[in-house]
């Protein structure tokens, strides 16, 4: 470790002519946002570092209670005012430096912390281990008018995890943090990349225009931003939204709006990929959802991290809860190959609340997390990778981001979910898209991905799970979801040619099919339904509860299946027997009823689920037959989809779907602001 002085805010050069580039600027929330403040500043007593049990990932003693959050200390995006005799920590999600990720994926072995202050203060630098224990690295006291604090730190012992951060203490008078940043040395011949951002939007022009304004208002980001491509697939056009002129002015000639039919997220993002590759000027394209709130510093960090990776690397960001803004969805995504399902990576927790336990007091978060893919709410992809492995899978929605990460990995490319790069998005807990119209896409796309990539004979456990999901839906009287899932299996059996052929038309068919079922008809007013009336009381006056053991679950399943053979009570056809909350709408509850009002997962209404023994029998027999046929044809279908993958993800195939392979007016379907 060494200490030197510097004044340049972007790059610094020492006597050895090393050029340093700031890759991680300390920032604070816009308008001193109280809800997101824990992600930027930790006001808890930095001295109260928890102790840990031997071998445990959790603190033996909880750190002190929640501190008073002081948004009034924030001056602006880069400056922070600390009153006399106060201490804060910058060991937070957005302001700590994720050293282990830099060690694992780049050749950088030194990082330089630069802190510019006004006032008498002490800067204490800490590092953590993969176990989450904190160690003090250095302590520097400055006086009024002193040179900046500059500390060079090694990135050589973070093999499994660990971060750097600093705490700031004011002494006898207030202190102003003018700026702080983490910089790395540029290698010889270093050239920073240029970034395009591809946004896919469908009838959210207000969100889209707001985000365009945020991008144009970030001067640091504009230095690397070459182009913003908005693929507008809706009927409420972005070009007609109030404020688009102001947003476009901030971006200048960087903004391009492409209008096309609704081809889903995969069609929109494939268009953004193709536009970026065709343009030939950008090193990276970042796929960004239209309905997010962003931290522009995180976008810049992702691009600059990608500049230093040893090989072309997909760099993704985390997703925070838009409604509980200090809560993270999860810390990394992986695919369980035997089941071929996606979810949280090992050694992570879902729904972590930084307001309750900040980075310094969350041991598991100090372990580096390696991922299989990153969600396309925020995901940077080098154009070199796109040219080699192709564009998105033509599946409309669901599994396109997962499949792309798996495909990239199969070609030797790595995906990194980089701490400090994130957006805020509506959480999955606010909806259950496995039982609405998206049930078709969940089912079909999972089967396609499994056929192409599963390393296990006939997909491991996945076909069995698929059959089990159908059974649960049938027991829950969710007949519309089963019908859509069976249509998905029929299309999978039809072969890969249907993917591009139906991408623009399938949604209409899916919605029309679903509209025929009572369980899919949601009313916002409960008065639209007859009153709840039950002819027989529940067994022993108790509502069903989850089974506590596997044998009990099997017994419950058999009993529920047997109940489906009984005649439907006449009263249940005229009145629902119960009103079941969305959180309680599980098969072991609904399977004991002949009908029920079930609240929608977003709370906006309810639908009337009615048991239909004949329909259930028909769907069950079709499900068994289709799963049997798929199982028997597994090897043949897997070969078909694997062989066709390079073609249906190719630029040529997507150009045909976009209508770009025939001579036309070059300005057709395109608006440039």
């Amino acid at each position: 470790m060494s200490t030197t002085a510097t004044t340049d805010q972007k790059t610094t050069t020492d006597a050895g002519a090393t050029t340093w580039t700031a890759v991680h600027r300390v920032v604070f929330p816009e308008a001193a946002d109280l809800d997101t403040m824990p992600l930027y500043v930790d006001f808890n007593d930095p001295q109260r570092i928890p102790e840990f049990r031997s071998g445990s990932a959790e603190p033996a003693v909880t750190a002190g209670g929640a501190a008073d959050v002081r948004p009034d200390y924030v001056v602006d995006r880069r400056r922070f005012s600390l009153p006399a005799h106060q201490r804060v920590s910058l060991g937070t999600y957005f302001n700590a430096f994720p050293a282990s990720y830099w060690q694992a994926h780049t050749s950088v072995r030194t990082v330089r912390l630069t802190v510019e202050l006004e006032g008498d203060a002490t800067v204490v630098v800490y590092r953590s281990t993969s176990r989450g224990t904190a160690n003090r690295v250095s302590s520097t006291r400055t006086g009024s008018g002193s040179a900046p604090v500059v500390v060079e730190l090694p990135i050589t012992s973070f093999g499994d995890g660990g971060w750097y951060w600093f705490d700031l203490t004011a002494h006898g008078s207030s202190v102003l943090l003018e700026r702080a940043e983490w910089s790395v040395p540029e290698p010889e011949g270093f050239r920073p990349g240029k970034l395009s951002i591809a946004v896919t939007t469908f009838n959210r022009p207000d969100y889209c225009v707001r985000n365009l304004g945020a991008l144009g208002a970030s001067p640091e980001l504009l230095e690397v931003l070459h182009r913003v491509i908005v693929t507008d697939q809706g009927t409420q056009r972005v070009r007609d939204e109030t404020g688009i002129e102001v947003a476009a002015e901030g971006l200048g000639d960087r903004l391009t709006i492409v209008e096309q039919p609704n081809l889903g997220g995969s069609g929109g993002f494939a268009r953004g990929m193709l536009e970026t590759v065709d343009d030939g000027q950008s090193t990276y394209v970042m796929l960004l959802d239209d309905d997010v709130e962003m931290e522009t510093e995180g976008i810049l960090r992702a691009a600059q991290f990608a500049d230093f990776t040893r090989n072309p690397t997909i760099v993704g960001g985390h997703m925070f809860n838009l409604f509980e803004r200090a809560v993270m969805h999860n810390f990394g995504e992986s695919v369980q190959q035997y089941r071929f399902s996606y979810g949280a990576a090992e050694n992570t927790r879902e729904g972590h609340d930084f307001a309750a336990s900040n980075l310094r007091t969350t041991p598991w978060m100090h372990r580096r997390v390696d991922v299989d893919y990153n969600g396309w709410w925020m995901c940077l992809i080098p154009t070199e990778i796109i040219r080699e492995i192709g564009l998105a899978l033509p599946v409309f929605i669901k599994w396109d981001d997962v499949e792309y990460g798996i495909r990239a990995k199969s070609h030797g490319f790595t995906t990194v979910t980089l701490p400090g790069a994130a957006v805020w998005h509506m959480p999955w807990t606010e909806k259950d898209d496995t039982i609405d119209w998206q049930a078709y896409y969940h089912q079909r796309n999972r089967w396609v991905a499994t056929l192409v990539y599963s390393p296990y004979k006939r997909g491991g456990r996945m076909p069995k799970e698929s059959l089990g999901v159908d059974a649960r839906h049938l027991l829950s009287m969710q007949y519309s979801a089963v019908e859509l899932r069976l249509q998905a299996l029929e299309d999978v059996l039809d072969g890969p040619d249907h993917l591009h052929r139906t991408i623009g038309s399938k949604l209409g068919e899916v919605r029309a099919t679903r509209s025929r079922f009572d369980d899919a008809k949601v009313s916002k007013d409960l008065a639209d339904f007859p009153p709840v009336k039950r002819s027989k009381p529940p067994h022993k006056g108790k509502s069903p509860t989850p089974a506590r053991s596997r044998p009990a679950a099997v017994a419950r399943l058999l009993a529920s299946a047997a109940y489906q053979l009984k005649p439907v009570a006449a009263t249940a056809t005229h009145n629902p027997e119960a009103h079941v909350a969305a959180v309680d709408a599980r098969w072991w509850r609904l399977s004991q009823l002949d009908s029920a009002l079930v609240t929608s997962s977003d709370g906006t209404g309810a639908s009337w689920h009615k048991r239909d023994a004949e329909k259930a029998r028909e769907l069950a027999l079709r499900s068994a037959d289709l799963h049997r046929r798929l199982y028997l044809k597994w090897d043949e279908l897997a070969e078909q989809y694997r062989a066709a993958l390079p073609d249906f993800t190719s630029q040529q195939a997507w150009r045909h779907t976009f209508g770009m392979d025939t001579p036309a007016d070059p300005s057709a379907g395109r608006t440039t602001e």
Side-chain angles (χ1 to χ4, degrees):
M1 182 188 74
S2 63
T3 303
T4 57
T6 179
T7 58
D8 195 313
Q9 293 191 16
K10 286 192 64 180
T11 61
T12 59
T13 304
D14 59 21
T18 299
T19 301
W20 297 77
T21 295
V23 295
H24 194 100
R25 285 144 290 273
V26 170
V27 293
F28 303 102
E30 293 282 4
D33 187 340
L34 193 66
D35 293 331
T36 63
M37 190 65 70
L39 304 178
Y40 296 85
V41 184
D42 189 346
F43 290 89
N44 283 290
D45 183 354
Q47 295 294 328
R48 298 197 62 168
I49 303 297
E51 298 177 1
F52 301 91
R53 301 182 185 94
S54 177
S56 172
E58 298 299 332
V61 179
T62 304
D68 291 333
V69 175
R70 297 300 303 266
D72 52 309
Y73 291 2
V74 175
V75 178
D76 54 34
R77 283 281 285 164
R78 297 296 302 273
R79 295 185 299 165
F80 186 86
S81 179
L82 188 63
H85 309 299
Q86 297 294 309
R87 178 171 177 167
V88 294
S89 177
L90 280 301
T92 56
Y93 175 81
F94 277 121
N95 284 326
F97 183 77
S100 66
Y101 292 81
W102 281 84
Q103 178 171 327
H105 301 288
T106 78
S107 297
V108 173
R109 291 297 173 263
T110 306
V111 62
R112 172 182 282 182
L113 171 65
T114 303
V115 184
E116 290 188 5
L117 301 164
E118 288 184 7
D120 185 10
T122 294
V123 175
V124 184
V125 179
Y126 290 92
R127 60 149 294 171
S128 65
T129 69
S130 61
R131 296 178 179 84
T133 56
N135 302 295
R136 191 171 81 166
V137 176
S138 70
S139 179
T140 306
R141 182 164 181 173
T142 66
S144 181
S146 299
V149 174
V150 180
V151 184
E152 291 184 20
L153 302 158
I155 308 179
T156 54
S157 56
F158 295 89
D160 293 329
W163 304 61
Y164 278 122
W165 68 86
F166 71 93
D167 293 353
L168 180 64
T169 300
H171 295 293
S173 59
S174 64
V175 171
L176 178 65
L177 172 64
E178 288 279 7
R179 73 175 180 100
E181 59 195 24
W182 304 85
S183 305
V184 298
E186 295 180 359
E188 186 176 353
F190 174 78
R191 293 183 62 186
K194 284 292 184 180
L195 173 68
S196 283
I197 293 177
V199 179
T200 297
T201 186
F202 178 80
N203 290 346
R204 291 192 180 104
D206 50 346
Y207 279 88
C208 194
V209 168
R210 181 198 63 198
N211 285 338
L212 293 176
L215 294 172
S218 174
E220 297 87 359
L221 181 57
L222 289 176
E223 290 184 14
V224 303
L225 184 61
H226 171 65
R227 198 174 176 205
V228 178
I229 304 155
V230 176
T231 303
D232 190 349
Q233 303 185 136
T235 55
Q236 302 170 31
R237 295 300 191 184
V238 172
R239 57 179 159 86
D240 298 327
E241 180 67 15
T242 302
I244 183 60
E245 295 85 1
V246 175
E249 183 179 353
L251 290 169
D253 59 2
R254 297 177 179 86
L255 177 61
T256 298
I257 300 176
V258 178
E259 296 175 353
Q260 68 180 27
N262 183 18
L263 302 177
S266 69
F269 285 131
R271 185 64 182 265
M273 291 177 175
L274 184 60
E275 293 278 340
T276 303
V277 170
D278 280 352
D279 182 59
Q281 300 298 309
S282 293
T283 320
Y284 319 109
V285 57
M286 174 173 283
L287 310 183
L288 199 64
D289 263 353
D290 62 340
D291 57 347
V292 300
E293 291 190 14
M294 65 183 72
E295 169 52 81
T296 54
E297 169 64 21
I299 296 175
L300 182 56
R301 288 174 187 175
Q304 292 186 305
F305 180 82
D307 284 341
F308 287 89
T309 55
R310 298 186 192 90
N311 303 300
T313 300
I314 297 174
V315 183
H318 291 107
M319 189 191 86
F320 283 97
N321 188 328
L322 189 62
F323 305 137
E324 297 178 277
R325 295 169 65 85
V327 175
M328 178 179 285
H329 168 55
N330 68 45
F331 204 64
E333 307 268 349
S334 66
V335 175
Q336 213 294 333
Q337 291 196 333
Y338 187 58
R339 299 176 55 220
F340 227 85
S341 62
Y342 57 79
E346 288 185 326
N347 304 310
T348 65
R349 313 283 192 274
E350 292 186 314
H352 178 76
D353 186 355
F354 283 87
S357 179
N358 219 312
L359 175 65
R360 296 180 305 114
T361 55
T362 308
W364 64 263
M365 203 170 287
H366 292 255
R367 183 172 179 172
R368 192 188 71 251
V369 174
D370 297 326
V371 302
D372 292 326
Y373 70 96
N374 199 91
W376 282 358
W377 50 76
M378 176 187 180
C379 188
L380 175 146
I381 306 173
T383 52
E384 181 178 342
I385 293 180
I386 297 173
R387 292 187 179 95
E388 180 168 337
I389 74 172
L391 307 179
L393 200 68
V395 293
F396 197 83
I397 57 168
K398 304 302 176 188
W399 280 88
D400 46 351
D401 47 7
V402 182
E403 185 277 336
Y404 203 86
I406 301 170
R407 194 190 333 160
K409 189 174 184 178
S410 72
H411 283 75
F413 297 111
T414 299
T415 297
V416 177
T417 302
L418 182 67
V423 295
W424 287 266
H425 192 283
M426 187 178 79
W428 317 137
T429 52
E430 297 301 315
K431 56 185 178 180
D432 184 358
D433 55 25
T434 64
I435 59 174
D436 64 12
W437 59 270
Q438 297 174 81
Y440 169 88
Y441 297 101
H442 274 287
Q443 174 74 324
R444 185 199 60 178
N445 301 347
R446 182 185 180 192
W447 273 85
V448 169
T450 309
L451 284 164
V452 175
Y453 296 107
S454 176
Y456 294 96
K457 185 176 181 180
R458 292 188 173 91
R461 184 180 170 83
M462 184 272 190
K464 182 179 179 180
E465 284 198 3
S466 175
L467 195 60
V469 171
D470 283 354
R472 290 198 298 271
H473 285 318
L474 289 173
L475 292 173
S476 303
M477 301 175 285
Q478 295 162 346
Y479 303 129
S480 64
V482 179
E483 176 62 38
L484 294 182
R485 287 170 56 82
L486 298 185
Q487 288 188 12
L489 297 187
E490 291 168 349
D491 285 346
V492 171
L493 282 164
D494 191 39
D497 289 346
H498 81 277
L499 293 172
H500 272 287
R501 187 179 69 245
T502 65
I503 191 171
S505 60
K506 195 65 187 183
L507 178 59
E509 298 174 23
V510 165
R511 290 189 182 278
T513 296
R514 188 168 182 267
S515 67
R516 300 199 300 265
F517 291 84
D518 287 329
D519 64 275
K521 298 174 181 177
V522 177
S523 175
K524 295 183 178 181
D525 190 348
L526 291 180
D528 293 338
F529 301 105
V532 171
K533 185 183 297 183
R534 188 165 185 172
S535 59
K536 291 178 62 177
H539 182 62
K540 295 184 179 181
K542 297 179 180 179
S543 297
T545 57
R548 297 184 179 181
S549 66
R550 185 176 182 82
V554 172
R556 176 76 60 80
L557 180 62
L558 294 174
S560 298
Y563 184 82
Q564 306 306 304
L565 303 177
K566 295 181 179 181
V568 176
T571 55
T573 63
H574 304 293
N575 297 84
E577 293 187 318
H579 187 175
V580 180
V583 70
D584 297 325
R586 302 293 182 261
W587 70 267
W588 40 264
R589 176 77 181 274
L590 295 175
S591 62
Q592 305 303 305
L593 298 168
D594 285 334
S595 70
L597 287 183
V598 180
T599 306
S600 58
S601 59
D602 61 3
T604 59
S607 59
W608 189 358
H609 292 36
K610 302 174 183 178
R611 186 162 71 86
D612 185 333
E614 184 177 346
K615 174 58 71 175
R617 181 176 181 275
E618 174 206 333
L619 293 172
L621 290 174
R622 279 179 60 203
S623 177
D625 181 58
L626 286 167
H627 281 87
R628 179 189 62 81
R629 290 168 57 193
L630 281 161
Y631 193 76
L632 292 176
K633 293 186 65 177
W634 185 276
D635 293 340
E636 177 186 344
L637 284 168
E639 179 57 33
Q640 288 180 23
Y641 280 93
R642 288 169 185 163
L645 178 67
D647 177 62
F648 61 66
T649 59
S650 68
Q651 295 181 36
Q652 180 180 358
W654 274 109
R655 285 183 196 280
H656 181 72
T657 296
F658 295 142
M660 298 170 65
D661 55 355
T662 55
D665 180 352
S667 65
R670 180 191 299 263
T671 302
T672 303
E673 298 292 346

